[in-house]
């Protein structure tokens, strides 16, 4: 035994560093490997137990939910059915038992058939209540990890329990099976670690060359000599916060005496900040501190890391000259950041005044104490500034405090020629007034206000032109006050760069303002300026353009077109896109609808003509047009006849209208939706006929009213229905019915967002019927003698209406039209007189042949009838019906003869 201890003592008393390190590392490796082996064995056992718990729970739940188990539990002999199934499942799942039991714990199955019918040993209460039990319990098979789950029927009632488990001896068997592997792995790890430790020790032996203490001392002396020779100060503090070592450079930089060792830094004259830093021992990296008229960069780290001795070491570098260079670099960096930030914060919108104010807000207080931005008045409206630029409006102002003598925003200022602002606008070059007290001409604008500015403390001014793309749009003036340094020439170059960037944004906003104004003017001029006079409908409308970010204007339009026979056409359309192209296209389509409406064709035929027109436009513009095609435009065309209350509609890709019944109910009639305009007639357009009761309201709209990025079209239509119900609700007795104007305002207020993304058109039209006392109708037999009777009846009717002075002309017109119908057409023939804003005569027959106006020669006996009709009537024409045609005329009435309803 003594010999063994001697060998150990000999091994630990080796003199070389490498051998001592080898012995220590070998001991540590043995301890770590043993601990790792023990931890691995415990971890494997724990993992086996968790795996047993999970497996028992999974098997129990799977068997409890297997098909037919509920029926087996309710069978006369559950054990006969479930025992073989449970044993088969147990063997397949590699568990030690699967027990099916009643809710009271009486077993139906067990690996040992002798245990069937006995009470289950373990906890079943939570499972009988519908929960799950997991536990380690000692049963008939010994200690085991088990799980108990309920079996429920279709109504969720617990009808039985299933328990599954794995015994602990099975788990221990797994752990024992791992022992050879653990022993082998431990042995391998110990061998590998020992070899690694041996290799590390050999490398340390080579690096230290087997040095003994004397050799290490000599190496320390050499390092000490090097330490004092370097050109960087090194200061080492011990654990008590006192100086342990200061090299020559540290003594020079800090002004230390010849023997500072053992003294506290707080007792030295090196500055409070440096003394507290050295005494605290806190970490620092390149902190700059003044000392002995120098700027020192100090870095400090503690020495007790990784087992080192307590204390800290600090290094010091003289950065006096470097700080001067760094200051200039920091200034340049700060100016670059100022310009970068200006690019991000100035010019965020396409509004001239807002962009000017952004420039003022950005420059205060980062560059100046006060900023004023003055723009030529035409620039605010999108125009070009005048050459003289004398009149400028203040649109931007910001300052570090209120109450300055400077003019506020909104004021129109005429700058005098001696002022810097006028000179800047004329020459396009910045003007610097470093000392305003010199009165070098800047005060000529208002001497009294100039004195007030000086009394307020403003002492320096820099005026810079707002110039972009060769155009001087205004002047930005920067002011400094108080203790702030006056502007210098370097500041002028920075201000010019800053203002130049803002000027580009202002010019973009100016151009946008001009183009947006042109688009708005164009669209407003193309939309109806006033609704035409007519008696069939009480019409109100609302139009809202899209937000400016979406182009401001678009291609939505509407129209109210009076037609012959007191009928009225309602039109709503939408051209895809925004801007000038959409507005111009909308104008072309609106004009085309007006022209086609004069043909007095049915709505579906009119849309067919419009579709052909759009197709031709797209074909003509395909090769050389830069704008988008018209294809995708939609249109709804409706014709209402107040004589019959019939409304005929047809739509091309447009949303169906809404109808508000007189009782307040709202419905969306099923109007067949044709394809959008411009698809080349691939699908037909269909017309739908609605019979509207008097007082019904027809609502036409574009998709911008119901579509939004936050909701789909169906939700939008339902919201529109609810809004129309509220807007058109039948009022209480003695309360007037809501007017179309009120309904229109109510719907727009409820549905339109603050910033609509698309144009919105809403047309609300309430129907009227022709009063019976304003019309007269006669059926005419196909007998020439009937012409006289019709003339006489018409004369009596006109006398009753107080229009006896129009009787002669009317008799002449009716005589010619009825005679032509009897001679050249076929029955049935009908005559209708309508008293409206004009006197309307209509003669209908069963022929589809239109009459032809011609001029008869002097020798002709006939052919002058229609010519006379055209001369006496203000207007005349022909429209076709499914039964034939109607020839109509209109005669003007005086103010006393006009009828309204």
């Amino acid at each position: 035994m003594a010999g063994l201890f001697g060998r150990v003592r000999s091994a630990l008393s080796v003199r070389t560093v490498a051998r001592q390190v080898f012995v220590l590392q070998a001991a540590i490796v043995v301890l770590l490997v043993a601990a790792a082996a023990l931890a691995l064995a415990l971890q494997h056992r724990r993992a086996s137990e968790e795996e047993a718990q999970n497996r028992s729970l999974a098997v129990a739940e799977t068997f409890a939910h297997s098909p037919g188990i509920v029926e087996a539990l309710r069978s006369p002999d559950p054990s006969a059915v479930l025992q073989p199934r449970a044993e088969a499942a147990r063997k397949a799942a590699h568990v030690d038992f699967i027990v099916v039991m009643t809710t009271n714990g009486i077993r139906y199955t067990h690996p040992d058939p002798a245990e069937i019918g006995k009470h289950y040993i373990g906890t079943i209460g939570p499972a009988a209540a519908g929960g799950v039990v997991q536990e380690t319990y000692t049963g008939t098979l010994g200690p085991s990890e088990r799980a108990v789950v309920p079996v429920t029927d279709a109504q969720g009632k617990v009808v039985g329990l299933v328990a599954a488990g794995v015994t602990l001896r099975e788990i221990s068997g797994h752990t024992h099976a791992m022992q050879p592997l653990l022993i082998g792995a431990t042995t391998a790890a110990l061998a590998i670690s020992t070899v690694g430790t041996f290799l590390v020790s050999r490398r340390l032996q080579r690096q230290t060359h087997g040095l003994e203490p004397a050799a290490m001392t000599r190496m320390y002396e050499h390092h000490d000599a090097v330490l004092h020779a370097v050109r960087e100060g090194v200061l080492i503090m011990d654990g008590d916060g006192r100086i342990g070592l200061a090299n020559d450079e540290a003594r020079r930089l800090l002004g230390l005496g010849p023997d500072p060792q053992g003294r506290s830094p707080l007792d030295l004259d090196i500055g409070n900040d440096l003394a507290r830093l050295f005494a605290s021992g806190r970490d620092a990296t390149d902190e700059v501190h003044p000392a002995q008229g120098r700027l020192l960069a100090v870095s400090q780290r503690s020495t007790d890391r990784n087992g080192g001795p307590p204390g800290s070491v600090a290094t010091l570098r003289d950065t006096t000259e470097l700080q001067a260079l760094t200051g200039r670099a920091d200034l340049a960096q700060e100016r670059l950041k100022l310009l970068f930030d200006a690019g991000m914060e100035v010019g965020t919108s396409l509004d001239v005044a807002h962009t000017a104010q952004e420039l003022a807000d950005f420059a205060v207080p980062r560059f100046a104490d006060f900023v004023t931005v003055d723009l030529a008045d035409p620039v605010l409206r999108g125009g070009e500034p005048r050459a003289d630029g004398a009149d400028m409006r203040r649109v931007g102002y910001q300052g570090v405090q209120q109450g300055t003598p400077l003019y506020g925003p909104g004021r129109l200022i005429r700058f005098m020629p001696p002022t810097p602002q006028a000179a800047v606008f004329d020459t396009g070059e910045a003007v610097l007034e470093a000392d305003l007290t010199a009165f070098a001409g800047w005060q000529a604008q208002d001497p009294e206000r100039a004195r007030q500015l000086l009394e307020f403390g403003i002492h320096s001014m820099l005026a810079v032109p707002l110039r972009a793309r060769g155009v001087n749009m205004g002047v930005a003036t920067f002011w400094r006050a108080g203790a702030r340094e006056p502007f210098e020439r370097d500041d002028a170059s920075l201000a010019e760069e800053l203002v130049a960037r803002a000027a580009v944004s202002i010019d973009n906003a100016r151009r946008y303002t001009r183009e947006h104004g042109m688009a708005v003017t164009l669209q407003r001029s193309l939309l109806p300026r006033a609704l035409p006079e007519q008696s069939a409908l009480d019409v109100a409308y609302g139009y809202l353009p899209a937000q400016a970010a979406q182009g401001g204007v678009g291609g939505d339009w509407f129209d109210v077109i009076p037609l012959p026979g007191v009928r009225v056409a309602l039109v709503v359309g939408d051209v895809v896109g925004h801007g000038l192209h959409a507005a111009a296209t909308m104008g072309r389509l609106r004009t085309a609808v007006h022209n086609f409406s004069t043909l007095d064709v049915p709505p579906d035929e009119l849309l067919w003509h419009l579709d052909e027109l759009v197709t031709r436009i797209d074909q003509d513009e395909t090769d050389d047009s830069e704008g988008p095609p018209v294809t995708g435009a939609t249109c709804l065309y409706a014709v209402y006849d107040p004589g019959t209350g019939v409304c005929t509609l047809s739509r091309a890709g447009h949303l169906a209208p809404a109808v508000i019944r007189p009782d307040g109910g709202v419905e969306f009639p099923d109007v067949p939706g044709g394809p959008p305009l411009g698809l080349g007639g691939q699908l037909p357009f269909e017309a739908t006929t609605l019979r509207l009761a008097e007082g019904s309201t027809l609502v036409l709209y574009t998709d911008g009213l119901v579509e939004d990025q936050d909701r789909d079209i169906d939700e939008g239509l339902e919201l529109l229905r609810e809004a129309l119900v509220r807007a058109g609700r039948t009022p209480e007795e003695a309360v007037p019915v809501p007017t179309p104007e009120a309904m229109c305002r109510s719907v727009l207020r409820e549905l339109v967002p603050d910033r609509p993304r698309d144009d919105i058109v809403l047309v609300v039209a309430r129907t009227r019927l022709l009063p019976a006392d304003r019309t007269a109708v006669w059926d005419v037999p196909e007998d020439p003698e009937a012409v006289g009777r019709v003339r006489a009846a018409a004369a009596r009717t006109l006398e009753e209406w107080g229009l006896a002075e129009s009787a002669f002309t009317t008799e002449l017109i009716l005589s010619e039209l009825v005679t032509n119908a009897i001679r050249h057409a076929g029955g049935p023939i009908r005559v209708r007189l309508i008293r409206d804003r004009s006197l309307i005569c209509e003669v209908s027959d069963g022929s589809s042949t239109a009459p032809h106006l011609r001029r008869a020669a002097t020798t002709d006996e006939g052919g002058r009838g229609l010519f006379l009709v055209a001369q006496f009537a203000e207007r005349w024409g022909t429209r076709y019906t499914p039964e034939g045609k109607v020839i109509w005329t209109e005669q003007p009435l005086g103010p006393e003869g006009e009828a309204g309803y």
Side-chain angles (χ1 to χ4, degrees), residues 227 232-239 242 244-247 277-278 280-285 298-305 309-316:
L227 178 65
E232 187 172 85
V234 178
L235 194 68
I236 299 177
M237 311 295 298
D238 59 22
R242 299 182 177 276
L245 173 65
N247 69 349
L277 173 61
F278 294 147
S280 66
R282 66 176 176 85
D283 289 354
T285 301
V298 181
S299 297
Q300 182 168 269
R301 294 290 183 274
S302 61
T303 57
D304 57 358
R305 300 177 182 180
S312 61
V313 58
T315 59
L316 304 92

Side-chain angles (χ1 to χ4, degrees), residues 466-646:
L466 279 158
R467 181 182 179 87
R469 302 180 178 96
V471 177
N472 283 341
M473 298 174 291
V475 179
T477 308
F478 303 91
W479 312 78
R480 284 185 178 176
R484 193 162 187 170
E485 291 293 328
F487 286 112
E488 300 176 351
R489 191 45 65 182
D490 289 343
D491 294 322
S493 61
L494 175 61
E496 287 177 335
E497 181 66 23
L498 175 64
V499 173
R501 298 190 180 196
V504 172
S505 299
I506 292 177
D507 189 52
N508 291 338
R510 176 183 70 88
R511 292 169 181 263
Y512 170 78
T513 300
R514 180 179 60 197
E515 294 179 3
H516 179 66
M518 293 170 57
V520 171
T521 302
L522 174 62
Q523 187 181 45
R524 295 292 188 185
S525 66
L526 294 176
L527 289 173
R529 298 186 179 182
L531 296 179
E533 294 183 355
Q534 46 83 29
S535 305
L537 296 168
D538 184 7
V539 182
Y541 69 91
Y543 169 76
L544 296 175
Q547 58 175 305
Q550 303 297 326
V553 295
D556 291 13
W557 94 92
F558 69 96
D559 236 322
V560 180
I561 306 173
L563 298 177
V566 203
R567 296 169 303 132
V568 176
L570 295 176
V571 189
V572 172
D574 184 2
V575 176
V576 175
H578 296 87
L580 283 174
H581 185 272
T585 303
M586 176 268 289
R588 298 168 73 177
L589 295 184
R590 179 171 177 252
T591 302
V593 171
H594 268 274
N595 292 335
F596 291 142
S597 68
T598 60
L599 301 176
D600 210 352
V601 295
D604 54 339
E605 187 175 342
L606 183 141
L607 291 182
W608 178 76
H609 287 297
L610 194 62
D611 180 72
E612 282 195 328
L613 174 65
V614 171
T615 301
R616 289 197 300 270
I617 292 176
D618 282 344
Q619 290 174 350
D620 294 342
E621 296 184 353
T622 298
D623 297 333
D624 53 359
S625 175
E626 296 181 358
V630 186
T631 301
T634 64
C635 182
L636 171 64
Y637 188 83
V639 177
Y640 175 69
D641 187 350
T644 60
V646 172

